[in-house]
Amino acid sequence: MNASPKRKRRDKRRSTQDAPARQPSLAKEASGSQNSGPGDTESELSNTVPANRVPANSVAATNLPGPIVRRTLVALVVIHLLIIGLSFSAIVQPGATHNQLLQVASPYLRGTHFAADGRPFFLAHGTPDEQPHRLQVADSGDSVGSQFVFDVTTDWKNVQPDFFPGLAASDRYQRWIVTAATLAATDQPSLAAMMLQPLLQKNPSNDAARIIRLPTQLTTAEQDAAPPVYLARVVRDDEQLDLISIESPRLTTQARQNQPQGNAGGAMEGKTK
Amino acid sequence: MSDSFWFQSTDSHVIGRVRIALALVTGCYFVSAMTDVSTWFAVGAPASSSNLAGFFREAGLESDARWMISPLFLWDSIFAGTGLSESTAVYQIYLVIGVLIAFGVAALSTERVLIWRIPRLLRGSLPVVLLWIWFVGWANRIVLLAGLVEPVLSLSLAALAIAPVCREGVSWRNHFATRLIAVQGSLVLIATTALMLAGNVWWNGTGAYAMIAPVEDRWLDIRESLFETTWVYELVSAITLLSLPVGLMMAWTSKWKRIGIGLILVWCFLVALLSMKILYALTIAIIAFTLGTGNISRRYFQSHESRSHQE
């Protein structure tokens, strides 16, 4: 397709404007760009000397690495890109072979922090772990006797992120709590407890802790009414702090009012720490 | 891929500007990490070295953790039991040094610094290699607290380290580094598109809504705003989903490069606005200027320069 007169004028004007900026570097590679004719606009504009268009005795040609080095570098780049592709393609649900390959590439991927490591590069999938998560604590102010009883009237206080939402500090809080919630949801409450213990250590009046998912405009009423992702009683013994996780009941037809008091929603108390 | 795709002798015009921008983003990243060091990394804090070691042991992830190499882990291990181990001050100093290296790399890449005599050692790749190692050291240390920006920034800094810092003459390393950043970035963006399509929200038009729905963790509260109108969020979802692959394809053609890069910048803007992943969006936006078979980025920068000269 022929360029329009307007386009030609614009190109000419741009060429005139660009000339002073290009001049010094063009002078430096004068010997290397001898083969670029006046019609070679792209080459002039980009100020580059392709490997296959330079005379062998020019400065630019001597600047390029030899063919063996070039082939080696390209081979290394291809391997590098394959490994990166392997890591990023494992984000949603990697297969067994995929996982084995990732294990082999682990020293390279983790040592350099190139690993995607299952992070949400998809930005949003509308899953529960994308809801805002909050760590909440309750103290024994309303309890009777030594055993802290918590129920629907318990006053839970949010442990808020340090800084404004959306900033890096707030993101770190969110990632930490989401990881703990994920561990709790996958039947690993002891690992969740390990992540939460240091956050609860500072305040000696905390008697219970839980992680909740805040409702969003996309969550259903059923999801909003779901029990906390993690619920635990805080037990202190001298300097030692333990979290006794309380598991939520599953698939029960028992009426709420018939369930035993002392556990939120009739939860079963587990001995996981 | 053809030999000339990777190997051409190029000046440092494009890579120099990309280096300045990436170094500034890295500097901002280090600054952002300073705000809550004592919350996470001090003695007894959730992500202190000893707590993490216990966590990985309990989770059976020791083999994975073995490769998360960081000078800070080494420091905490060497000085274990003393006040220097898991010390907030040490971590703050690490971050301050990171900021200095990052802004130093940015300064070395500007022509203005050339009025002083720069030691030969700092004219090559060393400053960026140092910045990359420093950055990876921190990213590996924070482990579970790391997000989307760390892998992308690490990949870009590693590629950037191939090119010499000072803009003297032409070098094939400038072009090779630019190409590597562009190809890596394209790979990440292709993977991102594929991963987005794996979720229902990007098919039923609520993808953009899902990004901003956790309003407690966002700057914008879209509740009862125009964004809740069906056609608005469906349109924004469609733009977010399509601008990335279409922009990427166009950016690698000679005719539509500018529009392609523009579309990727639109995607970055939407991601920053809706999901608050600002440093990640900024990094991708910088990478976008390296895309393409020609050197549109150089042309873009030059036309801006000449315009500013005229003004």
Side-chain angles (χ1 to χ4, degrees):
Chain A
M1 195 192 291
N2 290 330
S4 65
K6 195 177 172 184
R7 169 104 182 257
K8 279 181 182 170
R9 276 200 303 277
R10 198 170 62 223
D11 287 346
K12 192 176 175 184
R13 193 165 63 242
R14 185 186 292 146
S15 173
T16 319
Q17 285 171 358
D18 289 347
R22 286 203 314 274
Q23 211 164 359
S25 35
L26 278 174
K28 282 174 192 166
E29 60 159 343
S31 58
S33 58
Q34 280 166 0
N35 60 335
S36 309
D40 194 350
T41 317
E42 186 64 24
S43 178
E44 275 187 19
L45 196 64
S46 62
N47 204 9
T48 59
V49 186
N52 55 1
R53 281 199 280 162
V54 288
N57 58 349
S58 71
V59 174
T62 53
N63 279 341
L64 292 175
I68 295 170
V69 177
R70 290 211 293 263
R71 275 182 215 131
T72 311
L73 283 173
V74 171
L76 289 174
V77 164
V78 169
I79 294 167
H80 163 77
L81 293 173
L82 282 173
I83 295 172
I84 302 303
L86 195 72
S87 177
F88 275 80
S89 59
I91 288 175
V92 176
Q93 204 161 19
T97 313
H98 204 153
N99 267 329
Q100 282 175 350
L101 288 170
L102 279 175
Q103 281 296 322
V104 173
S106 181
Y108 180 68
L109 286 169
R110 291 193 189 281
T112 53
H113 209 92
F114 292 160
D117 252 348
R119 289 170 214 182
F121 277 89
F122 44 79
L123 304 173
H125 272 178
T127 51
D129 60 357
E130 290 167 23
Q131 288 174 241
H133 285 58
R134 292 289 180 271
L135 173 66
Q136 293 188 322
V137 291
D139 58 38
S140 52
D142 298 325
S143 68
V144 180
S146 58
Q147 178 76 356
F148 173 49
V149 178
F150 46 98
D151 51 26
V152 286
T153 61
T154 305
D155 183 23
W156 292 95
K157 294 184 184 78
N158 273 340
V159 178
Q160 290 287 1
D162 283 348
F163 288 87
F164 300 109
L167 294 183
S170 173
D171 285 353
R172 280 188 281 274
Y173 168 89
Q174 183 69 6
R175 274 177 222 134
W176 191 264
I177 302 298
V178 168
T179 309
T182 308
L183 288 167
T186 52
D187 288 334
Q188 299 180 79
S190 57
L191 289 176
M194 283 187 83
M195 294 186 79
L196 299 178
Q197 273 169 349
L199 289 168
L200 300 167
Q201 200 91 43
K202 288 175 190 168
N203 194 345
S205 68
N206 293 336
D207 286 293
R210 67 177 186 176
I211 298 174
I212 57 156
R213 289 179 174 140
L214 300 180
T216 71
Q217 299 294 85
L218 290 178
T219 51
T220 60
E222 187 191 357
Q223 287 170 323
D224 295 346
V229 193
Y230 179 76
L231 177 66
R233 190 183 297 281
V234 179
V235 178
R236 283 191 169 78
D237 182 16
D238 296 329
E239 293 295 302
Q240 181 80 17
L241 183 148
D242 289 325
L243 289 173
I244 313 287
S245 95
I246 298 166
E247 292 167 20
S248 299
R250 289 169 188 166
L251 296 175
T252 175
T253 53
Q254 194 178 13
R256 278 173 192 260
Q257 59 265 33
N258 295 336
Q259 289 172 0
Q261 291 296 307
N263 294 333
M268 296 183 297
E269 195 154 326
K271 283 290 176 190
T272 44
K273 288 184 184 181
Chain B
M1 279 180 246
S2 76
D3 206 26
S4 61
F5 179 85
W6 291 106
F7 299 100
Q8 294 183 22
S9 288
T10 318
D11 66 19
S12 60
H13 207 88
V14 176
I15 196 74
R17 273 153 180 77
V18 169
R19 188 186 302 113
I20 293 169
L22 284 176
L24 291 176
V25 167
T26 313
C28 292
Y29 172 86
F30 282 129
V31 170
S32 78
M34 282 180 191
T35 53
D36 54 352
V37 164
S38 59
T39 310
W40 297 109
F41 308 109
V43 181
S48 64
S49 292
S50 48
N51 273 353
L52 278 181
F55 177 80
F56 284 125
R57 209 178 306 118
E58 182 80 13
L61 294 171
E62 282 165 307
S63 58
D64 287 318
R66 198 186 331 148
W67 301 108
M68 293 171 187
I69 301 157
S70 167
L72 288 166
F73 277 136
L74 195 66
W75 176 277
D76 288 343
S77 163
I78 291 170
F79 295 98
T82 71
L84 289 171
S85 178
E86 300 177 1
S87 155
T88 306
V90 171
Y91 280 65
Q92 294 281 16
I93 290 167
Y94 186 96
L95 291 169
V96 169
I97 294 171
V99 173
L100 292 175
I101 298 171
F103 292 156
V105 167
L108 283 170
S109 303
T110 60
E111 285 167 346
R112 288 182 182 82
V113 174
L114 292 178
I115 57 172
W116 297 300
R117 190 171 179 79
I118 299 166
R120 192 179 174 79
L121 195 66
L122 297 179
R123 287 167 180 262
S125 296
L126 185 69
V128 187
V129 171
L130 191 62
L131 178 62
W132 177 58
I133 291 172
W134 211 255
F135 175 78
V136 170
W138 179 261
N140 277 348
R141 172 62 191 84
I142 65 173
V143 202
L144 299 170
L145 296 168
L148 301 192
V149 70
E150 284 87 357
V152 180
L153 205 47
S154 176
L155 280 166
S156 304
L157 289 175
L160 197 64
I162 294 168
V165 168
C166 288
R167 18 171 79 203
E168 291 174 330
V170 295
S171 169
W172 66 272
R173 292 197 290 159
N174 292 329
H175 186 81
F176 191 78
T178 313
R179 280 282 186 260
L180 190 54
I181 293 171
V183 173
Q184 286 177 164
S186 301
L187 186 65
V188 170
L189 296 182
I190 290 167
T192 301
T193 307
L195 291 166
M196 284 166 80
L197 289 171
N200 287 341
V201 290
W202 294 106
W203 292 97
N204 63 19
T206 56
Y209 206 123
M211 280 164 77
I212 202 164
V215 285
E216 286 83 359
D217 293 336
R218 301 286 183 270
W219 281 344
L220 293 176
D221 188 347
I222 42 81
R223 285 174 292 191
E224 295 176 15
S225 71
L226 180 69
F227 196 83
E228 291 213 309
T229 316
T230 309
W231 71 267
V232 173
Y233 66 73
E234 287 190 353
L235 181 67
V236 178
S237 297
I239 292 170
T240 313
L241 179 66
L242 295 174
S243 59
L244 194 58
V246 174
L248 199 58
M249 276 191 289
M250 289 171 101
W252 280 104
T253 63
S254 53
K255 197 176 178 183
W256 304 103
K257 265 181 258 177
R258 274 171 185 266
I259 299 171
I261 290 171
L263 282 173
I264 295 172
L265 295 183
V266 167
W267 183 83
C268 293
F269 174 74
L270 288 172
V271 168
L273 189 71
L274 300 178
S275 70
M276 293 287 127
K277 297 178 183 1
I278 296 166
L279 289 179
Y280 169 71
L282 268 174
T283 309
I284 298 291
I286 295 163
I287 291 171
F289 285 99
T290 63
L291 299 175
T293 49
N295 271 327
I296 187 165
S297 318
R298 176 186 169 79
R299 195 186 302 173
Y300 175 84
F301 286 127
Q302 281 182 346
S303 58
H304 266 257
E305 274 178 1
S306 52
R307 228 177 286 147
S308 59
H309 279 307
Q310 281 172 353
E311 282 166 10

